[in-house]
Amino acid sequence: MSLFSRLAGAALQVSLTALLAAVVPPYYVYKLTAYLLGAVFPEDVAGKVVLITGASSGIGEHLAYECAKRGANLALVARREVSLREVGDRALALGSPGVLVLPADVSKPEECKKFVDDTIRYFVDHLVNNASIWQVCKFEEVEDVNHFRTLMDINFWGHVYPTRLAIPHLKKTNGRIVGVTSNSCYIFIGRNTFYNASKAAALNFYDTLRMEFGSDIRITEVVPGVVESEITKGKILTKEGEMKVDQDERDAILGPTPVEHVGDFARTVVRDVCRGARYVFKPRWYMGVYLLRVCLPEVLAWNSRLLTVHRVGASSTDTLGKCLVELPGMRRTTQPPSLRSPEIKEQ
């Protein structure tokens, strides 16, 4: 490297440091002002139409309940019709003036077109892309990567298809897109190769859309940590391409990580979305882990490998994380009672 290049690089670093020192204080004044205005004058979703995918269980289900309590009309999408209708009935009881139940598979463009068309007859003000599945295995164990096309089709394309179809209508209503991603966008968790990649793709998709749309369509990205759901019950896409509940695999990865109650999570998300938040991190302490990723990525990688990849027994699920969660009292402390049962909704 030439002397000139070194001097130019040093000058750039000094200039950027000085720029940050000048810009950061007023920027945080602006952020605080925007937060206070959002808290005092939140968006009223009463009477508006909120379309939610992945609404038959977990996060999507409870987002529907929180929107219903605020008086929103709901269009609920998921593959399991019986469960979806149960969610719709409860949403009506909680205060929603109207609920559309739209059984569909978000990985299929033609089905996405149908449920978006069915919804826009009543307008659409908020699109909540929440549908997701979980994959667990090390990349080298995968015999056929095509097994994981299903995961990308749901976790990434299942966000893209509804968004593309709803854009013209969201522009008319100056609506909002809420994309539910994952802390796996930032934290490279072992044995989650394809899942991590799909969530990072979705996050970058929404970041780019926010830049392109400006104020025409508002975008909030929800970044959950470990939240009570069927996924954290252990519902996974196996390396053979099958969906099943495997709580040993779940424990091998999540270990003793505290699990957020889904009702509390959904309440915070809907509140912050109505306040105009660009991002919702929940639980908040995951922001500290994100800073660890930025400042000390080697430490984060070492910790993840130690807890989720390194074996302490004969089985592939005998990880240190699993051993820790099996310590006396640990599971009761970190997991809600619902996660101790492998039962999930079947229809």
Side-chain angles (χ1 to χ4, degrees):
M1 182 182 295
S2 68
L3 178 61
F4 176 78
S5 296
R6 292 176 181 175
L7 291 174
L12 180 61
Q13 291 178 9
V14 172
S15 300
L16 287 175
T17 301
L19 181 63
L20 285 173
V23 169
V24 167
Y27 170 73
Y28 276 100
V29 170
Y30 158 74
K31 292 283 286 183
L32 178 60
T33 303
Y35 173 80
L36 293 174
L37 287 173
V40 175
F41 304 106
E43 179 183 0
D44 183 6
V45 295
K48 294 186 176 182
V49 178
V50 180
L51 170 59
I52 304 175
T53 67
S56 62
S57 68
I59 291 174
E61 174 185 354
H62 286 267
L63 290 176
Y65 298 153
E66 292 303 316
C67 290
K69 293 174 185 176
R70 291 172 178 253
N73 294 289
L74 300 174
L76 305 179
V77 177
R79 288 177 290 186
R80 294 174 293 189
E81 183 173 358
V82 173
S83 298
L84 200 59
R85 292 193 180 280
E86 291 173 352
V87 173
D89 290 342
R90 185 175 178 192
L92 286 170
L94 288 171
S96 176
V99 175
L100 280 177
V101 173
L102 303 167
D105 185 342
V106 297
S107 68
K108 297 178 179 178
E110 65 278 6
E111 295 192 21
C112 292
K113 185 177 187 308
K114 185 176 186 308
F115 72 68
V116 170
D117 287 346
D118 287 344
T119 303
I120 62 174
R121 289 183 297 170
Y122 309 93
F123 295 102
V124 57
D125 300 284
H126 284 207
L127 168 64
V128 182
N129 288 318
N130 168 72
S132 181
I133 60 174
W134 193 29
Q135 157 267 332
V136 175
C137 71
K138 292 169 65 177
F139 182 71
E140 64 181 349
E141 297 173 351
V142 178
E143 296 180 2
D144 184 356
V145 295
N146 287 315
H147 289 325
F148 294 100
R149 288 186 183 276
T150 300
L151 181 136
M152 294 300 295
D153 285 344
I154 294 173
N155 290 9
F156 178 65
W157 292 107
H159 288 230
V160 173
Y161 296 143
T163 299
R164 180 67 186 88
L165 293 161
I167 283 172
H169 315 286
L170 290 168
K171 281 188 173 181
K172 291 177 184 177
T173 60
N174 189 223
R176 181 180 298 276
I177 298 170
V178 179
V180 181
T181 58
S182 169
N183 66 356
S184 294
C185 301
Y186 300 108
I187 306 169
F188 26 82
I189 301 171
R191 301 157 65 90
N192 271 195
T193 316
F194 291 95
Y195 181 78
N196 295 349
S198 69
K199 292 300 185 177
L203 183 95
N204 282 279
F205 170 67
Y206 291 120
D207 279 340
T208 306
L209 287 185
R210 182 187 290 113
M211 176 269 296
E212 292 180 351
F213 290 143
S215 60
D216 291 343
I217 300 176
R218 298 156 295 164
I219 295 180
T220 297
E221 295 171 62
V222 178
V223 187
V226 182
V227 178
E228 181 184 13
S229 68
E230 289 188 347
I231 284 179
T232 49
K233 269 180 172 282
K235 183 180 177 182
I236 63 172
L237 179 67
T238 68
K239 61 185 178 183
E240 293 80 23
E242 300 174 352
M243 293 297 301
K244 71 174 185 178
V245 177
D246 189 330
Q247 297 199 316
D248 285 336
E249 285 282 12
R250 184 271 312 272
D251 290 343
I253 292 180
L254 300 184
T257 306
V259 180
E260 183 84 1
H261 288 274
V262 67
D264 296 338
F265 173 84
R267 195 172 304 113
T268 298
V269 168
V270 173
R271 182 200 67 195
D272 287 359
V273 166
C274 290
R275 290 178 176 180
R278 290 163 62 94
Y279 297 91
V280 180
F281 287 86
K282 183 68 176 169
R284 304 289 189 194
W285 61 266
Y286 272 101
M287 288 295 293
V289 183
Y290 172 59
L291 292 175
L292 190 63
R293 161 80 186 260
V294 174
C295 301
L296 298 167
E298 296 87 355
V299 173
L300 183 61
W302 173 82
N303 181 73
S304 180
R305 179 174 177 79
L306 179 67
L307 291 174
T308 67
V309 177
H310 182 67
R311 294 185 187 182
V312 294
S315 170
S316 62
T317 60
D318 290 336
T319 63
L320 179 59
K322 185 170 183 285
C323 291
L324 291 174
V325 79
E326 289 176 344
L327 291 174
M330 182 64 73
R331 192 181 301 278
R332 184 174 297 276
T333 302
T334 59
Q335 294 180 0
S338 67
L339 299 194
R340 299 171 208 157
S341 165
E343 299 298 322
I344 61 171
K345 298 180 179 180
E346 296 293 341
Q347 297 180 312

